[in-house]
Amino acid sequence: VDPRWGYAPCRAPAAYWQLGKPTTFGEMPETIRLPPSAAAAHGSPTYTAAHILECTVNHGFHGGLFWAHNDPGRPLTTAYASMNRFASRALVDVSTQSLVEWLAQLRPP
């Protein structure tokens, strides 16, 4: 894994990081500018919000949160549409009802 890529969810699968618990990526930018070697392999100089969301799931993470809807220095412009499309395809995974059902099945150790 190329260390110049940072810790983006598209960089490596969750297993690479040897995480012991389900992990959600937080404070993601709306786009990620790639180094030239990665841009050539990806076919684009950036990962878009839609691509970043897909990476979180495809690489075994349990979701992602963009930073931040109220930060004028890093406004989210295209991320909202990407999040809506992503959520509409995965309603069971992102619904409040799904969370409630998951919590109900937990048993204390």
Side-chain angles (χ1 to χ4, degrees):
V1 175
D2 186 336
R4 296 172 294 168
W5 289 23
Y7 298 103
C10 301
R11 180 177 176 203
Y16 171 85
W17 303 106
Q18 301 177 8
L19 304 169
K21 298 179 180 179
T23 303
T24 299
F25 246 90
E27 300 185 9
M28 300 185 307
E30 183 176 63
T31 60
I32 297 173
R33 181 159 299 284
L34 302 172
S37 61
H42 177 59
S44 172
T46 59
Y47 286 144
T48 64
H51 187 82
I52 295 167
L53 286 170
E54 292 295 328
C55 282
T56 61
V57 173
N58 294 341
H59 279 169
F61 297 100
H62 287 253
L65 301 167
F66 289 100
W67 175 270
H69 77 92
N70 62 346
D71 182 351
R74 298 288 304 218
L76 298 178
T77 54
T78 62
Y80 293 116
S82 297
M83 288 186 289
N84 284 333
R85 283 190 302 276
F86 185 82
S88 71
R89 294 192 319 263
L91 286 177
V92 172
D93 295 331
V94 299
S95 70
T96 302
Q97 183 61 36
S98 178
L99 175 61
V100 169
E101 290 170 5
W102 179 79
L103 289 170
Q105 73 178 350
L106 296 178
R107 302 289 176 248

